[in-house]
Amino acid sequence: SQQGEEDPQALSIQEGENATMNCSYKTSINNLQWYRQNSGRGLVHLILIRSNEREKHSGRLRVTLDTSKKSSSLLITASRAADTASYFCATKTGAGSYQLTFGKGTKLSVIP
Amino acid sequence: SAVISQKPSRDICQRGTSLTIQCQVDSQVTMMFWYRQQPGQSLTLIATANQGSEATYESGFVIDKFPISRPNLTFSTLTVSNMSPEDSSIYLCSVLTGDGDTQYFGPGTRLTVL
């Protein structure tokens, strides 16, 4: 069943601008992970944030998590054409479960 | 992190035939998974590949259609049997790392069924 829902479905920005993507989910989670997928290829793991964390950084990436609103955001700063890809959030519910439930993704286009 | 390879990277198959996809990891991992991504869609978990025992399938997926082998801790195969055009998808394997939470994915196998 669908857990994460990304917003917007598609986003087009100019190179150098910041890109923000949002993910909402329905049930309590153990952690939330963001992935990037280039042109229907494999998924690249970007960042994992646990339910007891509020913010994490990795290079130009900043992820926030608001468990009270059941939402997360991914911010890419100073975007580059190479950031053009689809971005997915995936949630893991219980500590005893290994299954990830993926959202539908945001398709980001960065225009040079 | 883990380095994961998949073979083949893509294939075009005829209806009614079967295709076996291989997933190789550069280190021993406990948990391996198979996902399907239909065109324009998100990822759906097919099954968990268990070493030394039968795979655990998610609702809507059955062993006769998607038999899985896991002979050791670094290798698994997924077979898509008796294919139809509806099976056209990207199939991805993933592994769970030592922290028990992070899943890393292979490059995927793009399957087209005519």
Side-chain angles (χ1 to χ4, degrees), chain B residues 93-104:
Chain B
C93 68
S94 74
V95 303
L96 197 65
T97 58
D99 70 2
D101 285 323
T102 305
Q103 281 193 32
Y104 290 95

Side-chain angles (χ1 to χ4, degrees), chain A residues 2 30-31 33 35 37 39-45 48 50 88-89 92 97-105, chain B residues 31 33 35 37 40-45 48 58 90 92 94 96 99-108 110:
Chain A
Q2 198 71 45
N30 178 270
N31 67 65
Q33 303 180 43
Y35 290 86
Q37 184 179 40
S39 301
R41 298 172 68 181
L43 271 70
V44 175
H45 187 268
L48 179 153
R50 303 186 189 281
F88 295 90
C89 69
K92 179 187 168 189
S97 168
Y98 299 107
Q99 180 174 350
L100 287 180
T101 304
F102 282 80
K104 293 183 178 179
Chain B
M31 306 292 290
F33 308 91
Y35 287 81
Q37 185 180 27
Q41 302 295 313
S42 187
L43 280 75
T44 302
L45 181 64
T48 301
E58 298 301 310
I90 299 172
L92 302 103
S94 74
L96 197 65
D99 70 2
D101 285 323
T102 305
Q103 281 193 32
Y104 290 95
F105 284 79
R110 183 183 289 270

Side-chain angles (χ1 to χ4, degrees), chain B residues 39-60:
Chain B
Q41 302 295 313
S42 187
L43 280 75
T44 302
L45 181 64
I46 298 172
T48 301
N50 301 309
Q51 195 267 330
S53 64
E54 204 168 273
T56 306
Y57 290 85
E58 298 301 310
S59 176

